[in-house]
Amino acid sequence: MTAPPPEPRLASWAGDHRDIALFLDFDGTLVEIAPSPADVKLDRRVPAALDTLRSQLSGALALVSGRPITFLDSVLEPYRFDVAALHGADIRLGGQVQTQPPPSPEMRQAVRDLVRFANSHVGIIVEDKDISVALHWRLAPQVHDEALDLMRTIAERMAPLVRLQEGKAVAELVPAGASKGTAIAHLMAASPYAGRVPVFIGDDVTDEHGFEAVNALGGLSIRIGDGETRADLRLASPTALRAILLGAAERGSLTASNFFQG
């Protein structure tokens, strides 16, 4: 990102009590980043709190994540939420799933190439999500440049079928038309989200498309932690966000103004 973030509209948002639509990233937002994707731990109170907030928001709550729908369902069970998964490639709205076409032969070849790379470097994790694939090197920071160069080479080879989504010690090949921004815009055009003020919370460069979309819709964008961003507001950590969500669920009320606590 080269442009500076927009000036936060703190004064107006702090007293805003309009009905919101809440969009939440998962990794680094609802949970702390873990050494590997399988190691994340979700506070056991969060699923029920999200269900309570969903009811309070008349259903306008969705997860917007790079994770597959099946994973999000498993950690949030027994609840099933609207989801924009795989960076927006799969969308479940009202129980109906809209998905991308099956993985191409080129994607299967990319997975094989990445597995070979992982097999020759300790600490590299290949996360095969069927229609997308992520390469993680959080446990092997010394190969950052080599791993990213490989992902960029494969992305160029597969263009225009995919785009490269870079994040914190991870890069992912995702369907070219998928992004968190387009997913949020899609959901905001449908019931129960239409007519509400969108609020999107994320933590990484992978969430910037979502922040931009929400800003364009006149909503509130919130980044967890540091880093250059186009988000309006920051929260210090997933812990800070969970405290706000749990408190709002207990009170039975959530508006944009709640995110200005403290």
Side-chain angles (χ1 to χ4, degrees):
M1 297 289 170
T2 57
E7 281 296 317
R9 299 164 300 213
L10 299 184
S12 60
W13 280 119
D16 197 307
H17 297 283
R18 290 175 292 170
D19 291 337
I20 66 170
L22 182 61
F23 301 100
L24 296 163
D25 177 39
F26 184 77
D27 292 281
T29 300
L30 287 178
V31 297
E32 284 75 10
I33 294 291
S36 74
D39 293 334
V40 296
K41 302 295 183 185
L42 180 64
D43 187 314
R44 59 183 177 81
R45 300 171 295 173
V46 167
L50 294 181
D51 185 55
T52 297
L53 292 174
R54 172 172 58 180
S55 296
Q56 189 269 321
L57 297 173
S58 300
L61 184 152
L63 281 297
V64 182
S65 171
R67 296 279 198 164
I69 291 175
T70 52
F71 171 83
L72 294 170
D73 283 350
S74 70
V75 296
L76 292 164
E77 63 181 359
Y79 307 103
R80 296 289 182 268
F81 297 91
D82 288 345
V83 176
L86 303 179
H87 302 283
D90 285 351
I91 296 178
R92 182 173 66 200
L93 173 60
Q96 300 298 312
V97 178
Q98 305 169 43
T99 187
Q100 296 281 333
S104 64
E106 292 85 354
M107 182 63 76
R108 294 300 95 204
Q109 182 59 52
V111 172
R112 289 191 289 270
D113 292 345
L114 296 176
V115 168
R116 280 195 294 271
F117 179 76
N119 287 342
S120 62
H121 295 81
V122 175
I124 297 293
I125 298 171
V126 177
E127 188 181 8
D128 183 359
K129 305 177 185 180
D130 200 27
I131 62 173
S132 68
V133 60
L135 188 70
H136 299 262
W137 57 87
R138 185 170 299 277
L139 298 175
Q142 71 278 5
V143 302
H144 169 88
D145 291 344
E146 188 177 359
L148 195 52
D149 285 347
L150 174 61
M151 290 295 280
R152 288 172 175 169
T153 297
I154 295 175
E156 290 177 4
R157 182 181 80 201
M158 294 182 66
L161 296 175
V162 302
R163 65 178 180 85
L164 184 63
Q165 180 70 71
E166 299 179 18
K168 298 173 181 174
V170 62
E172 185 167 354
L173 300 166
V174 301
S179 79
K180 293 185 178 183
T182 55
I184 290 172
H186 175 82
L187 290 170
M188 283 299 298
S191 177
Y193 302 91
R196 289 174 169 263
V197 177
V199 175
F200 175 49
I201 308 173
D203 76 300
D204 200 352
V205 65
T206 61
D207 299 306
E208 290 297 323
H209 291 116
F211 296 150
E212 291 173 4
V214 164
N215 291 346
L217 290 168
L220 177 65
S221 51
I222 303 172
R223 175 150 177 156
I224 304 291
D226 56 12
E228 187 177 358
T229 186
R230 293 188 180 276
D232 291 309
L233 180 67
R234 291 183 193 269
L235 294 175
S237 66
T239 300
L241 174 61
R242 287 196 302 270
I244 293 171
L245 296 177
L246 292 170
E250 185 175 351
R251 293 189 305 273
S253 176
L254 178 67
T255 66
S257 63
N258 292 119
F259 297 103
F260 293 84
Q261 296 176 6

